[in-house]
Amino acid sequence: MAESQNVEWKESWQDDYLKWICGYANASGGTLYIGIDDRGNVKGINNAKKLLEKIPNQVTDTMGIIVDVNLCNKDGLDYLEIVVDKYPKMISFHGVYYYRSGSTMRTITGKELDRAILRAQGRTWDGMPVPRLKVEDLSQSAIALFKKKAIGRGRITEEETKVSDQVLMENLRLYDDDGYLTRAAALAFYPDPERWFTGAYIKIGFFGESDSDLLYQDEIHGPLIEQIDKTMDLIYTKYMKALITYQGIQRIERFFFHPDSCREILLNAVIHKAYESCNPIQISIYEDHMYVWNEGKMPEELDSTEKLFEKHSSKPYNPKLANTFFKSGMIEAWGRGFDKIRRGCEEYSGPLPKYEFSGGVMVLCNACDLYLQLMRENGSKGTQEEDAEKQENIGRLSEKLSEKLSEKLSEKLSEKLSEKLSDKEMELLKLLAEEPACTTSNIAEKLGVSRVTITKRLRNLKDKGIIVRVGSDRKGYWKIME
């Protein structure tokens, strides 16, 4: 036996330990031992029989509950075992509510107390009713998106979606016992959930060299079912720069953090957020890292990055909302979302995100080594900047080579070119005039198109009798026919 969340050792009894009993009753129960030191050694107590009568009476008088107080003996030393059951309603001690969390005892107040009271009643915050919300008020586009995703992932059959919106909400358990739509329904499907819950949106900002250097920002509003895709589109088209790498002839855009991992982190933020806090999810993006914050909390036992990436059960902060997202196919059950985050990071050979749990959940996502290397090599130029520069270079090349072509090609060939060549073929021909020994792969890289496309254009030029290959593919050169 060792001290744990449900076991505590004390050498002697103090009335202040009634708080521990209150905390155990409000959490998951536990056992308090009196007469054992912090190392687990039995020291014994002299007033065991007196305490056998005193403690049960104190507990009943101050909290109105019953606990088992047992007299134990080891090596002739008496000690007490106080067994506390979990109670179905919240218990207070002198008007204060205590809760056992990990190895600490703390007071709970305000919104956290409201949550605890609901939990003790077998209810959840997102399962509470929104009396004025009607099924006709829900967003048809959000419902259509839900059905499309659910069918695509095989979570719901197409036949199961051919029902009225009311039946669909009933099947998703989004009505309470009195027939009202719940908060989860309002969050997931109402066109403007902020009407009911301030802060039910996502805020994105791009920062420069410091946290105060905000360069631009966006807000994503609407049903939560739609917010995820909209946010991902914004992040990976506007906020993150893609740097270019090649695998053979294949041109690959590399972001500093894998999109699949980012999506799972965003989904976790949406599912675990405390929407009663009235604060939006906040995403702060920098050149090579990103923070995702939400004012929610993870299960108490998952209090470190290491534990999150170990196998664990799924305990969403908003279970009805989580079930809706699970049915849509957007999240996994059994805590498998963290496996998807890990796989994305491994695919990029990047570090796992780091989690902090102070005042909410903060996730730090750092760039992978390859991205940092590409930043150093390319001077942090992203896809759009690279493409613009490439187009400018092509323009300069065309001007430079047009004169060379006019000198190199006969008047007859020039007439043939103007009649037979497209702009793309002319662009290719100008490059061959400048670099006759250029290989197909080199040409594809320089012009920013696929090797297959270049092969077709070269074949067209050869078929028209304009160019011919002299020598081997590797050591030969392109000859422009006179």
Side-chain angles (χ1 to χ4, degrees):
M1 177 184 64
E3 280 192 307
S4 65
Q5 179 174 335
N6 303 103
V7 176
E8 186 79 25
W9 297 329
K10 300 296 180 184
E11 282 197 49
S12 60
W13 172 257
Q14 298 179 27
D15 289 348
D16 197 51
Y17 295 151
L18 290 168
K19 298 176 183 177
W20 266 253
I21 293 173
C22 177
Y24 279 136
N26 287 330
S28 55
T31 304
L32 185 64
Y33 290 93
I34 308 299
I36 300 180
D37 66 16
D38 290 341
R39 297 183 179 179
N41 300 314
V42 176
K43 296 297 185 180
I45 51 176
N46 298 323
N47 56 344
K49 292 184 179 179
K50 179 180 178 181
L51 291 175
L52 277 174
E53 180 179 351
K54 175 184 176 181
I55 292 174
N57 289 334
Q58 281 185 307
V59 172
T60 301
D61 291 344
T62 58
M63 290 175 269
I65 63 175
I66 298 175
V67 297
D68 292 329
V69 182
N70 304 314
L71 178 62
C72 306
N73 187 280
K74 182 179 181 181
D75 299 330
L77 298 173
D78 290 336
Y79 66 98
L80 295 181
E81 177 189 60
I82 306 173
V83 181
V84 185
D85 293 328
K86 172 179 172 55
Y87 266 70
K89 63 184 183 70
M90 291 298 292
I91 304 300
S92 67
F93 173 63
H94 292 322
V96 180
Y97 292 86
Y98 294 89
Y99 190 85
R100 177 74 171 189
S101 176
S103 60
T104 63
M105 196 65 58
R106 58 189 181 85
T107 60
I108 50 177
T109 58
K111 295 172 182 176
E112 187 178 10
L113 177 59
D114 293 338
R115 283 261 185 179
I117 292 173
L118 288 173
R119 186 167 55 247
Q121 297 171 348
R123 309 182 75 177
T124 61
W125 180 89
D126 65 335
M128 295 300 290
V130 183
R132 289 179 292 171
L133 180 62
K134 308 298 181 185
V135 70
E136 296 82 8
D137 300 330
L138 303 181
S139 166
Q140 288 303 305
S141 64
I143 293 174
L145 179 62
F146 169 85
K147 291 179 179 180
K148 178 181 177 180
K149 288 181 176 292
I151 294 171
R153 290 297 302 274
R155 299 285 170 82
I156 296 179
T157 65
E158 187 171 358
E159 193 65 28
E160 288 174 317
T161 64
K162 295 178 180 179
V163 295
S164 67
D165 292 344
Q166 179 174 341
V167 172
L168 179 63
M169 294 301 117
E170 290 173 350
N171 291 341
L172 292 174
R173 305 292 189 267
L174 294 179
Y175 279 98
D176 76 342
D177 293 339
D178 295 322
Y180 293 110
L181 283 167
T182 61
R183 291 168 172 169
L187 286 166
F189 296 109
Y190 189 69
D192 181 19
E194 294 163 67
R195 174 184 176 186
W196 313 103
F197 319 108
T198 302
Y201 65 97
I202 299 171
K203 190 174 184 177
I204 311 176
F206 187 84
F207 293 80
E209 296 182 356
S210 68
D211 294 342
S212 60
D213 187 17
L214 176 62
L215 301 180
Y216 49 90
Q217 63 180 329
D218 286 284
E219 293 180 358
I220 298 88
H221 301 269
L224 297 192
I225 287 289
E226 296 180 347
Q227 284 189 27
I228 300 297
D229 288 347
K230 291 179 180 178
T231 302
M232 287 296 296
D233 287 344
L234 263 178
I235 290 175
Y236 283 90
T237 58
K238 179 177 179 179
Y239 282 83
M240 280 196 192
K241 292 181 179 179
L243 300 182
I244 307 304
T245 185
Y246 288 89
Q247 290 184 358
I249 64 171
Q250 184 178 4
R251 182 176 185 269
I252 298 173
E253 293 185 351
R254 170 78 62 166
F255 296 97
F256 74 70
F257 196 71
H258 198 289
D260 290 349
S261 299
C262 181
R263 179 179 288 272
E264 288 302 316
I265 291 171
L266 180 58
L267 283 164
N268 276 337
V270 168
I271 298 304
H272 290 280
K273 178 185 170 183
Y275 286 92
E276 65 270 34
S277 69
C278 302
N279 292 316
I281 294 170
Q282 298 173 30
I283 304 174
S284 304
I285 301 179
Y286 298 75
E287 188 176 31
D288 60 359
H289 65 282
M290 169 179 66
Y291 291 99
V292 180
W293 177 86
N294 80 90
E295 191 168 338
K297 59 184 297 185
M298 302 299 286
E300 293 172 358
E301 64 273 18
L302 303 177
D303 57 359
S304 69
T305 298
E306 292 74 18
K307 291 180 180 179
L308 285 170
F309 285 97
E310 296 172 354
K311 183 174 178 56
H312 61 269
S313 60
S314 178
K315 296 180 180 179
Y317 198 58
N318 298 293
K320 289 189 177 292
L321 186 62
N323 179 64
T324 300
F325 274 81
F326 170 74
K327 291 292 187 181
S328 75
M330 297 173 73
I331 66 171
E332 302 290 340
W334 309 102
R336 291 173 53 201
F338 285 92
D339 288 337
K340 295 183 72 172
I341 296 174
R342 184 197 301 277
R343 289 197 299 271
C345 292
E346 289 175 349
E347 185 176 331
Y348 267 21
S349 298
L352 290 175
K354 298 178 181 179
Y355 286 75
E356 294 183 5
F357 306 95
S358 178
V361 180
M362 176 75 82
V363 190
L364 169 60
C365 308
N366 284 311
C368 60
D369 289 342
L370 178 57
Y371 189 89
L372 295 175
Q373 178 184 338
L374 291 171
M375 281 180 61
R376 291 190 292 269
E377 293 174 355
N378 298 324
S380 301
K381 294 173 184 175
T383 303
Q384 294 179 350
E385 189 174 349
E386 278 193 342
D387 288 346
E389 182 177 339
K390 182 173 291 185
Q391 291 300 321
E392 184 178 347
N393 289 338
I394 289 174
R396 288 199 299 266
L397 179 63
S398 297
E399 292 176 4
K400 181 179 179 181
L401 295 182
S402 60
E403 182 179 351
K404 188 168 186 176
L405 270 175
S406 63
E407 297 173 357
K408 187 176 181 66
L409 302 178
S410 66
E411 182 178 346
K412 182 177 180 181
L413 179 58
S414 298
E415 293 176 359
K416 184 190 295 185
L417 291 179
S418 62
E419 294 175 359
K420 292 187 176 182
L421 295 189
S422 66
D423 291 341
K424 298 295 185 182
E425 289 171 332
M426 181 62 79
E427 178 184 66
L428 174 56
L429 191 60
K430 290 177 181 179
L431 180 58
L432 296 181
E434 175 72 11
E435 301 181 49
C438 207
T439 65
T440 304
S441 297
N442 295 147
I443 297 170
E445 181 176 345
K446 289 177 181 294
L447 297 184
V449 296
S450 70
R451 191 173 184 275
V452 174
T453 299
I454 294 301
T455 300
K456 290 180 179 178
R457 291 178 188 172
L458 290 170
R459 186 184 302 118
N460 288 339
L461 291 175
K462 286 192 293 183
D463 291 344
K464 293 174 181 178
I466 297 173
I467 62 171
V468 64
R469 183 71 179 178
V470 178
S472 67
D473 289 341
R474 294 186 60 187
K475 296 184 178 181
Y477 64 94
W478 294 100
K479 180 180 179 181
I480 300 176
M481 301 303 292
E482 296 291 342

